[in-house]
């Protein structure tokens, strides 16, 4: 980062700040988060911020099958018998729903295009996207946010020993060992965001750290023996260099049905286990004959008229149970706007066109539009932060980066019918409704669209020159033929003329 500004970090200062903060908090003194951090009152600053810890923990318990409630199903302990371990059969529907949601939003990379500005500055932006693997990180972020309800992308700025600026992009989430806290104003604008993590100290014990990011500064804090050690670093970009991504969990609203489905599957498993070994019913005389050593093996002797020996068949699955399982599966997918991608469902889509598949997946496109409302705004802010970071990395390009206007759009998850798209673009270009640049970009047949456009224009110029030369040659030939026809024709004399 830029110049380091040390704050209270020695033991004596920590003691003084600790008792000062106790006094101020006791009398109910109101301080802003900046004042709290300046006073090294990190605990009070964290209490001022919003934590979604409970929602995140609950979502993680539901997301990972090993943590589902069905895993706590009690075992059975028959009297004078070995304990029976009940079936515990969790499902991964939460993962499936989340992955389908991810596919429809970021199944293909985000499409960026320049609206106006310098080409060199735009290339600098696209190179930054590639260097920091923007698309793969967005897939990771979407997966984490759909599973945990929140995550963040941090742009960590620093300078090396040669004073050369650098930037690392790090994804933060609870499953990665980070805690997140946010502070917003009354207009829902992000004022400050903090992320907590633990590092091992010199004695091998884990030490709690919290980093607070604001538009003007970054506060790096460390838990001390008494109080907190706080270090302040100015923020060179003037923006909070962290994007906070949050959304409802992908399976929100169907939790009871998911639990019921796992409960039914587990009970069916217990029934199958109970009847896995043959169970027979026999009258007393048959049982006695079975214990007689003189009777050959596998031979039963019935002596009474009412003697009986038969196997007990397991109960057949009732229609009600099958109907409930089918209804649970259908309602879980429908209520979460998730299409069925099972083999049976996809088997009939092999010959469908891209438009027909989209129509069949209308439910998922509704959810995609809903998520685009969330991620569209966040990616737009991400873009602004990236431009600010680029100005820090390349100060000589600051003016061109300020003048750069960039737009983006979410790519379609399914491939369209290429032939129909090509024909439509050709008709639009012939009618003059789209430019050559837009037509080439939409076709997407080349990685370097500008080079393809230059080649097309060069070929057009060559064809035009060839046509002009041909017209000139034809005109010269026509002129020569016309000149020969101007010679007077010989006069034919009629009879009687001398």
């Amino acid at each position: 980062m830029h110049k380091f500004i040390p704050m209270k970090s020695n033991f004596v200062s920590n003691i003084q700040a600790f008792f000062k903060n106790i006094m101020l908090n006791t009398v109910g003194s109101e301080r802003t988060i900046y004042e709290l951090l300046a006073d090294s009152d990190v605990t009070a600053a964290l209490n001022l911020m919003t934590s979604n810890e409970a929602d995140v923990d609950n979502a993680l318990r539901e997301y990972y099958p090993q943590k589902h409630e069905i895993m706590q199903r009690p075992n059975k302990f028959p009297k004078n018998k070995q304990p029976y371990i009940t079936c515990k059969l969790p499902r991964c529907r939460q993962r499936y729903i989340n992955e389908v949601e991810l596919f429809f939003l970021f199944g293909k990379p985000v499409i960026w295009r320049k609206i106006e500005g310098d080409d060199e500055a735009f290339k600098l932006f696209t190179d930054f996207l590639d260097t920091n693997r923007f698309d793969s990180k967005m897939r990771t972020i979407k997966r984490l946010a759909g599973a945990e309800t929140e995550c963040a992308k941090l742009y960590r700025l620093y300078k090396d020993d040669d004073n050369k600026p650098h930037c690392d992009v790090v994804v933060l989430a609870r499953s990665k060992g980070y805690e997140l806290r946010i502070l917003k104003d009354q207009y829902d604008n992000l004022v400050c965001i903090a992320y907590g993590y633990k590092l091992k100290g010199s004695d091998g014990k884990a030490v709690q750290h919290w980093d607070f990011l604001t538009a003007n500064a970054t506060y790096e804090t460390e838990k001390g023996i008494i109080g907190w050690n706080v270090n302040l670093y100015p923020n060179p970009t003037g923006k909070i260099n962290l994007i906070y991504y949050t959304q409802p969990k992908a399976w929100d609203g169907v939790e009871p049905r998911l639990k019921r489905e796992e409960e039914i599957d587990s009970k069916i498993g217990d029934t199958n286990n109970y009847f896995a070994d043959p169970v027979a019913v026999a009258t007393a005389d048959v049982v006695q004959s079975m214990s007689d050593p003189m009777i050959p093996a596998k031979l039963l002797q019935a002596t009474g008229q009412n003697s009986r020996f038969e196997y007990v068949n397991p109960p057949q699955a009732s229609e009600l149970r099958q109907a409930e399982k089918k209804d649970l599966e259908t309602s879980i997918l429908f209520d979460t706007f998730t299409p069925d991608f099972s083999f049976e469902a996809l088997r009939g889509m092999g010959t469908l066109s891209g438009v027909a598949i989209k129509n069949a997946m209308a439910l998922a496109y509704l959810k995609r539009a809903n998520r685009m409302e969330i991620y569209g705004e966040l990616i737009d802010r991400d873009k602004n932060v990236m431009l600010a970071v680029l100005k820090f990395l390349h100060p000589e390009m600051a003016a061109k980066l300020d003048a750069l206007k960039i737009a983006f759009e979410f790519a379609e998850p399914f491939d369209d019918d290429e032939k129909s798209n090509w024909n439509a673009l050709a008709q639009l270009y012939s009618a003059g409704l789209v430019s050559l640049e837009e037509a080439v970009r939409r076709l997407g047949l080349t990685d370097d669209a500008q080079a393809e456009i230059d080649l097309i224009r060069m070929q057009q110029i060559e064809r035009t020159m060839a046509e002009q030369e041909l017209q000139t040659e034809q005109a010269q030939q026509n002129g020569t033929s016309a000149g020969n026809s101007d010679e007077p024709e010989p006069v034919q004399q009629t009879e009687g003329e001398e």
Side-chain angles (χ1 to χ4, degrees), residues 167-443:
C167 175
D168 292 336
V169 181
V170 185
V171 178
L172 313 177
R174 173 64 63 81
S175 58
K176 291 180 173 290
Y178 296 91
E179 297 181 53
L180 298 174
R181 301 280 180 93
I182 60 172
L183 178 64
K184 294 186 176 182
D185 61 15
Q186 67 272 30
Y187 304 110
D188 202 37
N189 296 317
L190 190 64
V191 175
C192 178
I193 185 167
Y195 59 94
Y197 53 95
K198 291 184 178 180
L199 297 176
K200 284 188 177 181
S202 57
D203 57 356
K205 296 181 180 179
V207 180
Q208 181 66 55
H209 293 253
W210 281 93
D211 291 357
F212 295 80
L213 278 69
T214 67
N216 298 320
T218 298
Y219 302 83
E220 295 184 356
T221 70
E222 178 183 358
K223 181 68 174 175
I225 299 175
I226 296 180
W228 293 79
N229 301 320
V230 181
N231 295 323
L232 169 65
Y233 298 89
N235 183 3
T237 65
K239 296 181 180 295
I240 299 177
N241 302 320
L242 187 146
I243 314 299
Y244 177 69
Y245 287 89
T246 180
Q247 67 157 88
K249 54 189 178 184
W251 61 95
D252 185 43
V254 296
E255 297 88 345
R257 292 181 178 272
L258 292 169
K259 294 177 182 178
R260 176 63 178 171
E261 185 180 39
E262 292 177 343
E263 181 182 354
I264 291 177
D265 289 345
S266 298
K267 288 183 177 180
I268 293 175
D270 286 338
T271 302
N272 292 337
N273 286 343
Y274 184 78
F275 289 96
D277 296 325
V279 179
V281 175
T283 55
D285 57 333
V286 175
V287 173
Q288 292 176 359
S289 68
M290 293 174 63
S291 61
D292 190 346
M294 300 302 296
I295 302 297
K298 298 183 181 179
L299 177 64
L300 302 178
Q301 181 177 358
T303 58
Q305 183 177 0
N306 297 322
S307 298
R308 183 165 63 98
F309 180 89
E310 60 186 13
Y311 285 101
V312 178
N313 295 320
Q316 301 298 320
S318 66
E319 294 182 1
L320 288 176
R321 185 165 61 184
Q322 290 297 327
E324 183 180 9
K325 282 181 60 64
K326 182 63 177 177
D327 179 69
L328 284 171
E329 180 180 0
T330 303
S331 60
I332 288 172
L333 296 179
F334 182 83
D335 293 351
T336 56
F337 297 87
T338 305
D340 183 6
F341 281 131
S342 64
F343 175 76
E344 291 76 11
L346 294 177
R347 186 166 49 184
M349 293 188 180
T351 58
L352 293 181
S353 64
V355 176
I357 291 178
K358 291 180 183 178
N359 294 334
M361 301 293 174
L363 203 63
Y365 274 88
L366 291 175
K367 193 173 187 180
R368 165 184 160 94
N370 178 276
R371 294 296 183 252
M372 285 169 62
E373 295 176 6
I374 298 174
Y375 285 88
E377 181 178 348
L378 293 172
I379 292 178
D380 188 64
R381 182 178 180 274
D382 201 341
K383 173 199 69 178
N384 295 332
V385 173
M386 284 189 284
L387 290 173
V389 170
L390 283 172
K391 289 194 293 183
F392 167 72
L393 299 176
H394 305 277
E396 72 282 359
M397 295 287 293
K400 293 182 178 180
L401 289 168
D402 285 333
L404 191 61
K405 291 186 178 180
I406 303 172
F408 70 92
E409 60 182 287
F410 295 92
E412 283 289 334
F414 294 102
D415 292 327
D416 295 327
D417 189 347
E418 292 185 349
K419 185 177 292 186
S420 62
N421 283 346
W422 294 345
N423 293 335
L425 282 172
Q427 293 175 2
L428 291 173
Y429 176 68
S430 300
L433 298 178
V434 297
S435 64
L436 176 63
E437 290 79 2
E438 182 67 13
V440 172
R441 187 184 69 82
R442 289 281 183 179
L443 285 174

